[in-house]
Amino acid sequence: MNSSQPAQPPIQPIPVQPIPVLVLSGFLGSGKTTLLNHLLGNRAGTRIGVVVNDFGSIEIDAMAVAGQVGDSMVSLGGGCLCCEVDGSELDAYLEKLSAPVHRIDVIVIEASGLAEPQEMIRMLVAGENPAIRYGGLVQVVDAAEFDATRAKHPETDRHLAVADLVVLNKTDRVEPAGLTRIQAELGTLCPGTPVVAADHGRIDPELLFDRRPWTETQGQLSFEDLISQARDAAEADPEAHGAAHEDHTGHAHTVYESTEFVSEQALNPRRFIDFLDRRPAGLYRIKGYVHFGVPGHEERYEVHAVGRFLRFVPGPWGRGEPRRSQLVLIGAGTDGPALLRELEACREPAPQHAPPESMWGVLRYVDRPAQPDAEPEPEPEPEPYDLDSYGDPDPEDL
């Protein structure tokens, strides 16, 4: 071996991002399973692991023809796994679903209709599985039974208070005046929490997770193939085709707007956090990457927001990747140009002069892995968890 040749640098492993875990909550009959089926049928290539915390079976469209591989696990062609478990086995099933062999992109927990969402949050936030991270609570509300549900289950108000996103379902069964009243009451019960109106659980999956392009069939009909065949069969009947076309006009994507922001300049972390704290209720989803460039924090920060839930994930820049911020903002009734003006005001021409404490607001929403062999560095005193603020609660606060 020629000793004059420089030693090759060791290959750095590609960091594996934890899998976000979304909690889908709501009382019996609110439409959780219908919403879940809609997500599964419109997920494109995204691999969704589903944990059902209930007593009984989950009825997923086309499950019977997709293939069942066990009493508690179902494999759908594109790689979706669905488990029926009780709460005491949640950790074990999350560990199973998060195994790399399944290549799951997102996990959705459908909580029991009588479950306490605070307990689900506590379990996830306090969990020690590094392969997963809490991704927010979505509370499904039956608009047609809103008053009756609150009268029968007073804990409804408490559940709404910890939600990151509220799906007001079955809006097609309520008169406009009644719907306006319910939306106003929700604004009082969970101020600052975005409310998405829906019928038959049809919301855009992009509000909750990224959909990957589907490009493969794994030796059998994929879930997308099954859905496509069902639609083709329906459209063979002119009446069914007319109904399908009429149904498409009400799809969720027709009411959402997407705004994109790109900045070659770094963003000021304090001004950016202030923008996030003031974001309008109609802004349901924010995703992308942010470059702050503050000394000691020059890495790329992935940002993910569902409703008022907020998470930053720092990671290395790719080789040759330009240092810039790229964001996609999805919402309804939002003012795109106004959002862009606010983001433009977050630009920072001299990030190298920013003090380290300017990052404290961002670091509140970063998961720090435990380092038992290292002496912990002093951190600023965290603010107490406020149900009307963004981000994860501390387990002790629930």
Side-chain angles (χ1 to χ4, degrees):
M1 180 176 180
N2 189 348
S3 60
S4 63
Q5 292 181 344
Q8 294 294 323
I11 298 176
Q12 298 294 328
I14 299 175
V16 178
Q17 296 288 355
I19 300 171
V21 180
L22 294 166
V23 178
L24 190 61
S25 180
F27 284 105
L28 295 169
S30 60
K32 299 188 303 295
T33 301
T34 302
L35 191 154
L36 178 58
N37 288 337
H38 173 74
L39 295 178
L40 291 169
N42 295 272
R43 61 191 172 85
T46 303
R47 300 177 187 274
I48 307 175
V50 180
V51 174
V52 180
N53 179 215
D54 209 344
F55 298 100
S57 62
I58 179 172
E59 298 177 358
I60 296 181
D61 296 339
M63 177 183 290
V65 291
Q68 185 168 334
V69 296
D71 293 334
S72 63
M73 181 178 294
V74 172
S75 176
L76 298 181
C80 171
L81 302 176
C82 176
C83 300
E84 178 182 345
V85 299
D86 60 38
S88 64
E89 297 174 332
L90 179 60
D91 288 342
Y93 276 89
L94 288 176
E95 183 175 357
K96 176 182 287 189
L97 286 174
S98 61
V101 66
H102 298 311
R103 295 189 293 165
I104 293 295
D105 298 308
V106 61
I107 297 173
V108 179
I109 297 177
E110 182 187 350
S112 162
L114 300 177
E116 283 288 341
Q118 293 96 326
E119 291 302 315
M120 307 294 290
I121 298 173
R122 186 196 303 274
M123 294 175 67
L124 292 170
V125 173
E128 298 180 355
N129 184 352
I132 63 172
R133 60 174 172 81
Y134 174 59
L137 171 70
V138 180
Q139 181 78 9
V140 183
V141 174
D142 183 341
E145 299 293 331
F146 179 71
D147 296 324
T149 300
R150 289 187 68 201
K152 187 176 181 180
H153 301 284
E155 62 270 30
T156 299
D157 295 0
R158 186 174 69 252
H159 295 180
L160 287 167
V162 296
D164 296 297
L165 183 69
V166 173
V167 176
L168 184 57
N169 196 29
K170 304 185 184 181
T171 55
D172 56 316
R173 296 176 52 193
V174 180
E175 294 295 327
L179 192 59
T180 300
R181 177 185 62 82
I182 293 172
Q183 290 173 323
E185 288 194 42
L186 288 173
T188 301
L189 293 171
C190 46
T193 302
V195 177
V196 181
D199 64 86
H200 299 87
R202 292 175 297 190
I203 68 171
D204 191 338
E206 288 283 348
L207 296 180
L208 305 180
F209 54 79
D210 292 330
R211 284 186 291 180
R212 303 177 186 275
W214 173 75
T215 57
E216 59 181 313
T217 300
Q218 299 182 340
Q220 59 177 309
L221 286 179
S222 72
F223 199 50
E224 281 80 2
D225 288 334
L226 296 169
I227 296 295
S228 177
Q229 285 190 1
R231 287 172 179 162
D232 289 345
E235 290 183 0
D237 183 337
E239 292 185 6
H241 174 72
H245 178 75
E246 183 176 277
D247 178 65
H248 177 77
T249 61
H251 281 189
H253 64 74
T254 62
V255 298
Y256 297 136
E257 305 102 20
S258 176
T259 302
E260 283 109 36
F261 172 77
V262 178
S263 174
E264 303 296 335
Q265 278 188 336
L267 299 188
N268 181 285
R270 284 175 172 162
R271 291 198 292 269
F272 186 59
I273 285 293
D274 184 56
F275 164 78
L276 294 174
D277 286 344
R278 294 181 293 100
R279 64 189 187 267
L283 186 55
Y284 306 131
R285 178 91 193 276
I286 302 174
K287 58 183 179 178
Y289 301 96
V290 182
H291 171 47
F292 294 115
V294 175
H297 304 279
E298 293 90 351
E299 61 264 61
R300 184 182 72 174
Y301 281 80
E302 178 184 354
V303 60
H304 170 75
V306 173
R308 63 180 180 180
F309 172 80
L310 178 63
R311 168 77 66 210
F312 286 98
V313 181
W317 295 94
R319 180 174 298 179
E321 183 179 0
R323 272 52 171 172
R324 64 185 176 190
S325 299
Q326 301 180 78
L327 297 170
V328 177
L329 304 95
I330 303 173
T334 55
D335 186 340
L339 292 175
L340 291 177
R341 286 194 297 270
E342 291 192 54
L343 287 169
E344 292 283 351
C346 294
R347 293 179 187 267
E348 176 55 63
Q352 67 275 15
H353 299 313
E357 57 266 26
S358 65
M359 288 291 295
W360 286 355
V362 172
L363 297 179
R364 284 190 61 207
Y365 303 102
V366 172
D367 279 335
R368 293 182 179 83
Q371 297 179 346
D373 299 331
E375 195 69 27
E377 297 181 0
E379 295 181 5
E381 188 70 18
E383 299 178 17
Y385 178 67
D386 184 347
L387 292 175
D388 294 328
S389 65
Y390 301 104
D392 290 343
D394 187 285
E396 297 300 324
D397 294 329
L398 294 171

